[in-house]
Each structure stands twice: as C-alpha cells, then as structure tokens.
Amino acid sequence: MEILQQKPTNYAIHTSPANDLRLVECEIPKIAPNECLVHVRATGICGSDVHFWKHGHIGPMIVTGDNGLGHESAGVVLQVGEAVTRFKPGDRVALECGVPCSKPTCDFCRTGLYHACPDVVFFSTPPHHGTLRRYHAHPEAWLHKIPDHVSFEEGSLLEPLTVALAGIDRSGLRLADPLVICGAGPIGLVTLLAANAAGAEPIVITDLDENRLTKAKELVPRVRPIKVERGESSAELGQRIVSELGQEAKLVMECTGVESSVHAGIYATRFGGTVFVIGVGKDFQNIPFMHMSAKEINLKFQYRYHDIYPKSISLVAAGMIDLKPLVSHRYKLEEGLQAFETASNPRSGAIKVQILDD
C-alpha cells in the first residue's frame, strides 16, 4: 500500500527487565483473517507504561522479556482480513486493548465480565507487546469506529475516559452526590470531566501539585481544589476536605493509589458512604479499619473496564466531554524516548503526553 511504501519502518517503544527504554524496529505484522492492520496515529503514555519501564512490574504483572508499551491508541485501518466485515481501509478507529478469549466455556466472557477473563490479552501488559508502534494488527471485534470530527488524539484519550466512566458506573454516582476526587493527574482529571457530566455536586479535588489543580479548575470551573500539604496527616486533610465540601462525602473516587491519600478519602466519607479506588498503589496497604467499621464505609475497587467504549465515543462526539485540553505535550514516534522522559518527570508539568505519527 502507498502508506506502507512511504513509511516502511515499523518503529515501536520497548522496555525489558533491565528497566531500559528503546526505540526498536519491528516487522510489519501479517494480519489474521479476523484482524485489521492499523496505522497507529496517536498513543497516550499511561502511568502504567512508565511503571512497567521504571519498576518492571505492576502487582503480579511482571516484565520478563522484551516488552512493547502503550495501550491508549487510535489510528486508521490500512488492511482488513478476509473475515472482517465491519471495517474497510480508511476507517478511523479507537483500539480497545483488552482482548478476552471469548470462549463459550469462559464464565466471565459468557456473562459479559470479559475484563476478568483469565486468558485476556491486554496489549502492553507483559508478555504482550503494546500498541505504541506505527503498525499494529488488531482483532476486528475490539476496534471502535470514531467519527471524522473526533481527532486521533481524542480517540486515544478514550481509553482513560473509559477507565473513568467504568468507575462512575461501578461507584453508583448519582445526580447531586457530593463527591471528592483524590488526585488531579490524568485519571483524576478525566474522572472530574466524567463526574461533571454525570452531575455530581459539589466536587472537591485534591493534589500536591498546584498546576494540576489549576488545570482542574480550567476544565470544570465549579470544582473546589485543595492543595495537599506535605507532612499533613490524613485525618487533618480529611477534615479540610469536609470543610471545603461543606459536608462529608457520599463518594470518594481515589485516583492515586497512595496510602495516605486513600486514608484522607476515608476520613472525609460520611456514614454509609463509599471510597472507590481507581488508582494503582503498593501491593499491601494499611487502612483505618475500625474507623471504617464504625461508619459502615464501603471500600470498592476497579479492574480495567468492559462495554464502555461506545459510551465514551458518544459523549466525546456529542461534545459533552472535551478531552482536548488534557494533552500537554506532543512528540513524534521517533521521539518516543524523550516523550517518556517528559511523562515521568514531575517537573515537566505534563498532564497527558501524546506520541503522534502522521
């Protein structure tokens, strides 16, 4: 194809157990009958990508060999397999990167909880290469068309939005629920956008970084930001949150995974309320057990998502959620190593770093 002739090199960003980061050249994949060859036009760097690079594991998911990164991607279909019926060359698509086994004998796939499939292939999670590459073969069933007016950058941001919407669904958020969001990083900010669209009121958001809180206020002017002070106890922060919110929270959406932040959220929660943890933290953490018991506070968690991508596309396409302001830095694919340095450096002021390939 003409595009392949113009760019014959399939560059990708890989890491390994040596905690290195490399721009590598890969073969252009041959597609199976049920697959599409996608030119990946935009990929966002997720905190998990940085974590696999820097630390080599997330919980039981361990980098044991050469491993390609990236799972927040959108692009254009170049070729389709002979069994593909829903796509044609030129279609613009977002990639859902969790591909379950879909076998009729799998209880999770059969009941719609495909994100819990024990045989799921999640691109970028070891040992499966990610989508941060120029050309990627992807199963037809896990591609989603995006409208022409939705950019590839927005298409790649559908993945973190999908994480946030899954949290909104699972947490049971309702109109006018008083909400606290702990953490104004990329997931915290996209959770803020989703919660705003869902009608939470009032909303408090916390973070150590003043710039991120400023961004939160730009995205949703009615949000009430709280700067976390180093050395402040979790109980003290919890009381500041309650004071700013004007009441104890019915729901806390914890987007950092940091133990002290989880504690602060717990101390800010009303009797019978819920602390919903989206953030990824240490393997083992302590919690204020008897405080939660005496207040019947629910502690809930989220693992990826299922059946949410179409909702994300609809909300963005309709203009109900604007993801564009989240992109703070843009790099070419060949500049991928620099992009990761920016994404992993707190002093860079990065919100969402995007790697683009025209």
Side-chain angles (χ1 to χ4, degrees):
M1 297 186 65
E2 184 180 354
I3 295 179
L4 294 181
Q5 292 173 352
Q6 291 175 353
K7 292 189 175 182
T9 306
N10 188 16
Y11 285 122
I13 307 296
H14 284 207
T15 188
S16 78
N19 303 115
D20 59 352
L21 195 69
R22 289 164 289 115
L23 179 69
V24 302
E25 295 184 15
C26 306
E27 291 185 2
I28 297 174
K30 292 179 170 38
I31 54 175
N34 68 331
E35 290 181 333
C36 297
L37 182 66
V38 178
H39 178 193
V40 180
R41 295 289 301 276
T43 300
I45 297 178
C46 176
S48 65
D49 295 317
V50 174
H51 208 85
F52 278 131
W53 162 38
K54 294 279 192 178
H55 304 285
H57 76 99
I58 296 177
M61 298 171 286
I62 302 170
V63 176
T64 58
D66 196 53
N67 212 97
L69 298 171
H71 58 268
E72 301 178 2
S73 294
V76 60
V77 173
L78 298 181
Q79 299 173 3
V80 299
E82 58 190 31
V84 170
T85 59
R86 295 171 48 240
F87 297 98
K88 65 184 183 306
D91 283 343
R92 305 167 76 257
V93 292
L95 286 66
E96 183 169 352
C97 285
V99 179
C101 73
S102 300
K103 295 176 182 176
T105 54
C106 177
D107 287 342
F108 296 109
C109 290
R110 190 174 67 249
T111 58
L113 300 176
Y114 62 79
H115 62 310
C117 171
D119 296 319
V120 66
V121 171
F122 197 95
F123 294 110
S124 80
T125 297
H128 309 291
H129 289 318
T131 58
L132 214 177
R133 57 194 59 237
R134 178 164 287 152
Y135 303 117
H136 167 75
H138 204 80
E140 172 191 25
W142 304 100
L143 289 172
H144 303 274
K145 287 184 181 179
I146 55 175
D148 289 343
H149 69 279
V150 174
S151 69
F152 291 119
E153 288 188 18
E154 291 172 285
S156 71
L157 285 164
L158 291 170
E159 202 278 344
L161 175 59
T162 294
V163 171
L165 290 179
I168 295 291
D169 275 1
R170 211 172 123 63
S171 69
L173 177 67
R174 297 292 183 266
L175 285 169
D177 277 352
L179 172 68
V180 175
I181 299 172
C182 296
I187 290 296
L189 291 176
V190 79
T191 297
L192 172 62
L193 290 171
N196 180 57
E201 169 60 27
I203 305 174
V204 161
I205 191 165
T206 68
D207 205 276
L208 284 162
D209 190 324
E210 191 73 54
N211 292 328
R212 289 187 168 187
L213 293 174
T214 299
K215 174 59 73 172
K217 193 75 174 172
E218 290 173 2
L219 293 173
V220 179
R222 66 185 178 88
V223 73
R224 305 175 186 184
I226 290 182
K227 187 177 185 300
V228 178
E229 302 296 337
R230 296 188 185 278
E232 182 178 26
S233 74
S234 297
E236 290 169 340
L237 176 56
Q239 285 305 306
R240 280 211 294 139
I241 292 170
V242 171
S243 177
E244 185 63 42
L245 195 66
Q247 58 190 298
E248 292 180 313
K250 182 177 180 181
L251 174 64
V252 172
M253 301 197 76
E254 212 299 312
C255 299
T256 74
V258 175
E259 185 174 297
S260 60
S261 182
V262 176
H263 291 183
I266 289 169
Y267 287 125
T269 302
R270 68 171 61 169
F271 188 98
T274 297
V275 176
F276 190 93
V277 180
I278 298 177
V280 174
K282 296 186 301 184
D283 289 353
F284 293 92
Q285 299 194 26
N286 295 308
I287 58 171
F289 182 85
M290 287 309 301
H291 176 88
M292 295 180 68
S293 175
K295 296 189 75 169
E296 292 188 1
I297 293 172
N298 303 298
L299 183 60
K300 299 179 71 175
F301 298 88
Q302 173 178 335
Y303 183 66
R304 295 175 179 161
Y305 43 78
H306 66 95
D307 301 311
I308 305 289
Y309 255 87
K311 291 184 181 180
S312 297
I313 294 169
S314 294
L315 290 169
V316 173
M320 294 179 65
I321 292 180
D322 183 8
L323 299 173
K324 294 186 289 294
L326 293 174
V327 181
S328 59
H329 295 75
R330 296 170 176 86
Y331 292 90
K332 296 178 181 179
L333 179 56
E334 292 85 350
E335 301 169 331
L337 304 191
Q338 184 181 351
F340 267 82
E341 291 292 345
T342 299
S344 63
N345 183 358
R347 293 186 296 275
S348 71
I351 299 296
K352 177 58 69 173
V353 177
Q354 289 259 343
I355 296 178
L356 310 175
D357 193 53
D358 295 330

